[in-house]
Amino acid sequence: MAPLTLVTGASRGIGAACVLALARAGHDLVVNYSRDAAAAASVAEQVRALGRRALVVQADVADEAAVLAMFARIDAELGPLTGLVNNAGIVAMKARLDEMDVARWQRMWAVNLTGSLLCAREAVRRMSTRHGGNGGAIVNLSSAAAKLGAPANYIDYAASKGAIDTFTLGLARELAAEGVRVNAVRPGIIDTDIHASGGDPDRARQSAGLIPMGRAGSADEVAAAILWLLSDASSYTTGSVVDVTGGR
Ligand code: NAP
């Protein structure tokens, strides 16, 4: 049986690159997205062109009912699940703390943190040997912002990713003897559409001077680290946070 991996937020950016890297490595894929059905369908078509199975599922990862329905479809149509990439994540417009409102924070925690815990919970219920599963691997998307704090940009986003680092460590130790490895990647500035969501579409290109390697990273470079963490090549690695930051 081919490994079966769910990538959340896979309609573009790092999630889409990850899906394609995994398909090339022989995984079947679940392509989750929230809004852009056409983009998700196009990613799935590229997976099928590589000879792998792809299931496209719309679900806002912050919506428990939608996440439960997504996992029920995976069980019914492709299962059993062997991997999860908690990639779906959002930023908000660049702001200082004294300009932010509670609604912004609630959405940020709901997608970046609750969404990751929720998808991980459902994956654990299927993959952990404690629940009769055959084991598996989870990779969470953190951010270099967790180390840097993102002052005057989005410290709320940075805080949500700091929580992801802690969640990764705790869940890794909780599951270490149950066949499920849990790791995170901490990308630096990667050239995707997420910067437009923060009101700064040229951020990746304009940030070269902040990065020791002198350039932003690509989604493919982050996907390569995720692929390794999902593979048997990292069989003794759990609770790790891998920086993919060009040295930042
Ligand atoms: P992106 O280009 O903005 O893509 C985000 C993806 O997540 C899209 O496929 C989007 O789908 C999906 N999504 C958004 N909200 C969702 C929700 N509530 N439920 C399900 N899917 C949702 O982002 P990216 O740059 O690839 O970032 C991916 C991850 O890496 C995020 O966790 C981000 O925080 C992290 N990261 C990125 C960078 C960077 O510089 N790019 C740096 C550090 C960490 P729709 O379009 O269909 O809504």
Side-chain angles (χ1 to χ4, degrees):
M1 273 288 265
L4 173 63
T5 302
L6 163 62
V7 181
T8 66
S11 57
R12 61 170 192 262
I14 293 168
C18 188
V19 160
L20 296 177
L22 290 166
R24 282 183 218 107
H27 289 235
D28 292 332
L29 273 311
V30 182
V31 178
N32 160 260
Y33 72 101
S34 65
R35 284 175 301 198
D36 192 344
S42 161
V43 172
E45 269 317 302
Q46 294 173 67
V47 170
R48 294 185 193 110
L50 289 163
R52 306 305 333 168
R53 299 186 298 166
L55 175 68
V56 179
V57 189
Q58 192 282 332
D60 175 347
V61 295
D63 177 342
E64 183 175 21
V67 169
L68 293 179
M70 172 167 68
F71 276 85
R73 271 194 72 189
I74 297 169
D75 294 341
E77 297 182 37
L78 286 186
L81 192 72
T82 60
L84 165 67
V85 182
N86 267 322
N87 170 77
I90 56 169
V91 295
M93 293 303 282
K94 182 174 171 169
R96 288 170 45 97
L97 180 72
D98 49 20
E99 298 162 340
M100 295 177 188
D101 61 25
V102 171
R104 166 182 165 131
W105 297 335
Q106 285 172 335
R107 184 64 185 157
M108 188 87 72
W109 317 146
V111 175
N112 293 2
L113 191 51
T114 302
S116 296
L117 269 68
L118 195 48
C119 291
R121 184 188 75 189
E122 293 311 306
V124 168
R125 286 175 174 171
R126 287 156 176 83
M127 299 191 309
S128 164
T129 54
R130 179 189 172 96
H131 294 282
N134 295 318
I138 296 172
V139 178
N140 297 318
L141 267 290
S142 174
S143 168
K147 295 187 302 183
L148 300 168
N153 278 288
Y154 23 68
I155 63 173
D156 48 355
Y157 170 80
S160 76
K161 295 298 187 176
I164 288 292
D165 288 359
T166 306
F167 165 58
T168 299
L169 182 60
L171 188 64
R173 291 176 175 171
E174 197 166 291
L175 300 177
E178 298 175 21
V180 182
R181 295 183 301 105
V182 185
N183 293 288
V185 292
R186 203 153 43 190
I189 298 175
I190 309 300
D191 193 2
T192 72
D193 293 345
I194 202 169
H195 307 294
S197 327
D200 197 357
D202 287 328
R203 181 161 185 259
R205 279 169 292 282
Q206 289 174 353
S207 301
L210 302 172
I211 303 164
M213 279 193 184
R215 65 169 178 87
S218 71
D220 287 340
E221 289 174 308
V222 181
I226 295 170
L227 177 63
W228 179 71
L229 288 169
L230 285 177
S231 76
D232 288 342
S234 63
S235 56
Y236 200 54
T237 301
T238 197
S240 294
V241 183
V242 177
D243 286 316
V244 186
T245 59
R248 191 160 181 237

